Amino acid sequence: MGGALGGAFGMFMSSVDWGMNTEEFQKMSTKEQVKVTLKDMGKRSASSAKNFAIVGAVFSGTECLIETYRAKNDIWNGVAGGCITGGILAAKAGPAAVVTGCAGFAAFSAAIEYWMRSD
């Protein structure tokens, strides 16, 4: 799911990128422009698909492990999974980024869990 969403996101973002609107690009024939654009869309789609898939795998894996350990199915599994995911993804940027990533993913996960569980 994450990979497909990431691929679609990458394709959309590359189609609205103004970075390709250079003088060199403008001098190309229409056929060459289409070829370059499609190649860029493919690269960005693959990159975004990979990133979304990694985020989805880390989140779902940690949430599942926490739910198994706690033997409960409640909002806190998603919040803890989000915190761990955010921390892991921000680990290379230092401790402040880990705290920010943890808080951001936990808050987003809490909002989604609350919305999904509300009747």
Side-chain angles (χ1 to χ4, degrees):
M1 175 73 173
L5 182 63
F9 181 75
M11 190 174 294
F12 171 75
M13 292 306 293
S14 67
S15 69
V16 296
D17 182 23
W18 288 96
M20 303 273 291
N21 198 13
T22 62
E23 202 172 303
E24 178 184 338
F25 185 77
Q26 301 266 334
K27 290 179 181 177
M28 294 179 183
S29 69
T30 303
K31 185 177 180 178
E32 290 173 324
Q33 287 179 356
V34 169
K35 185 178 178 181
V36 168
T37 301
L38 290 175
K39 189 174 183 181
D40 184 54
M41 288 173 78
K43 284 181 184 177
R44 290 198 192 192
S45 293
S47 176
S48 291
K50 182 185 88 169
N51 291 337
F52 274 63
I54 289 170
V55 170
V58 171
F59 176 77
S60 63
T62 56
E63 183 184 29
C64 186
L65 285 172
I66 291 167
E67 186 173 329
T68 301
Y69 177 76
R70 292 183 65 228
K72 292 182 182 178
N73 183 357
D74 60 10
I75 193 170
W76 298 108
N77 296 330
V79 172
C83 178
I84 292 169
T85 301
I88 288 171
L89 294 175
K92 291 182 181 178
V98 169
V99 171
T100 303
C102 171
F105 267 79
F108 182 73
S109 297
I112 295 298
E113 288 282 339
Y114 178 78
W115 179 69
M116 294 292 288
R117 292 176 186 270
S118 65
D119 291 316

